[in-house]
């Protein structure tokens, strides 16, 4: 069955339908990872977006037990070539069946290189995936221009408080769309992790007396999370160590008077270099974000830059002045991606240890 990708600038790509045949409008973003497509599909940060994989062959090892959440989250999936015969001793099925199971439409057989160049040159755009051959571009474009991902954190957060792991440290993990490996990275370092829904009041978290607080990744525009930002102000006022990743990093910055803005086409992939300004070392990181924190007017009495993106100079992390709080824009838990920056979890453990022994 034919499928079509229509961008809001009027560009049309024709390919083959994969997964569900339903029609969808979404924000079109690209990911440069060469492997880890299942972790990309199951990362809640992609809620409200359709993902273009720039690597030309996807699905060669099928579906394996590497999901970062209970289900896939993208609105759509766009690839150059979908492997028809996956081969791996851990393979449990094909991407085609996976997309069908979760009613996610996709398109294969298009020039993803050309599509990515358009998104890089013109910026992230909205688009429609459809199997309707009688589409009218002039009627579709106005619909694309008004689409917004909206408040997607509510869609991806957990519904109730849960506890995982046992250990010496009690960590409160705020779930804004948390990848599974964040909790697992803490558990394997001796933490008992309590996972809280995104809109849990700060007073409830503080009443549980955690040794540390973890703010997770998540989807969408951080400025849509006004209620969460207000609660983070209360957590900031406590003396509890806080470590934040991606959306959590942006929300903590907003809670302390900083601003955020949308990047032209975002950072998504497993090969982004970031420099740790404390030791002047460069690490390769896994990233997935479309927004960044502005540091031009950042008050140094509140926070100072801790990491910077080597490619474009944008902020990749903050260290809060006089507080046991540090935040990063990238993903130290990786999955998929390099493990270069996993040491940041060890830094968080040390912060909690100092706090407990004080």
């Amino acid at each position: 069955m034919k499928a079509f990708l229509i961008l809001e600038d009027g560009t049309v790509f024709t390919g083959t339908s994969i997964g569900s045949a339903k029609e969808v409008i979404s924000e079109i973003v690209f990911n440069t990872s060469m492997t880890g497509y299942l972790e990309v599909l199951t990362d809640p940060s992609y809620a409200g977006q359709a993902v273009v994989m720039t690597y030309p062959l996807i699905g060669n090892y099928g579906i394996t037990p590497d999901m970062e959440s209970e289900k896939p989250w993208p609105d759509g999936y766009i690839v150059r070539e979908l492997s028809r015969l996956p081969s791996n001793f851990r393979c449990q099925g094909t991407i085609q069946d996976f997309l069908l199971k979760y009613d996610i439409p996709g398109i294969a057989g298009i020039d993803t290189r050309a599509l990515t160049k358009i998104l890089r040159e013109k910026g992230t755009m909205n688009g429609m995936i459809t199997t309707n051959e009688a589409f009218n571009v002039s009627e579709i474009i106005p619909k694309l221009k008004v689409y917004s991902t909206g408040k997607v954190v509510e869609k991806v957060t957990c519904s109730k408080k849960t506890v995982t792991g046992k250990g010496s440290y009690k960590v409160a993990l705020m779930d804004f769309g948390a990848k599974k490996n964040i909790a697992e990275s803490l558990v394997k370092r001796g933490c008992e992790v309590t996972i809280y829904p995104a809109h849990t009041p700060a007073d409830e978290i503080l009443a549980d007396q955690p040794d540390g607080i973890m703010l997770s990744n998540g989807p969408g525009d951080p400025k849509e999370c006004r209620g969460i930002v207000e609660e983070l102000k209360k957590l900031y006022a406590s003396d509890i160590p806080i470590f934040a990743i991606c959306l959590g990093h942006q929300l903590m910055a907003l809670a302390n008077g900083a601003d955020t803005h949308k990047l032209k086409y975002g950072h998504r992939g497993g090969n982004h270099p970031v420099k740790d300004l404390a030791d002047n070392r460069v690490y390769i990181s896994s990233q997935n974000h479309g927004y960044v924190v502005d540091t031009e007017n950042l008050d140094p009495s509140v926070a100072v830059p801790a990491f910077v993106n080597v490619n474009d100079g944008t902020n990749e992390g903050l260290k809060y002045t006089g507080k046991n709080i540090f935040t990063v824009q990238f993903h130290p838990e990786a999955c998929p991606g390099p493990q270069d920056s996993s040491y940041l979890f060890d830094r968080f453990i040390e912060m909690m240890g100092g706090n407990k022994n004080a």
Side-chain angles (χ1 to χ4, degrees), residues 174-189:
M174 296 293 294
D175 178 13
F176 306 136
K179 291 170 62 183
K180 182 176 64 174
N181 203 46
I182 292 177
E184 291 182 353
S185 295
L186 293 167
V187 168
K188 74 180 183 182
R189 287 171 170 81

Side-chain angles (χ1 to χ4, degrees), residues 31-37 40 53-55 58 268-271 286 336:
N31 185 296
T32 58
S33 297
M34 296 176 67
T35 61
Y37 53 79
V40 170
M53 300 300 294
T54 62
Y55 190 70
I58 297 296
R268 297 174 181 89
N271 57 349
S286 175

Side-chain angles (χ1 to χ4, degrees), residues 259-281:
D259 197 8
T260 58
H261 70 268
K262 190 172 186 178
L263 290 167
K264 185 176 181 181
Y265 49 81
H267 300 154
R268 297 174 181 89
N271 57 349
H272 291 265
V274 297
K275 179 185 284 189
D276 186 336
L277 298 178
D279 58 17
N280 213 35
R281 288 186 61 182

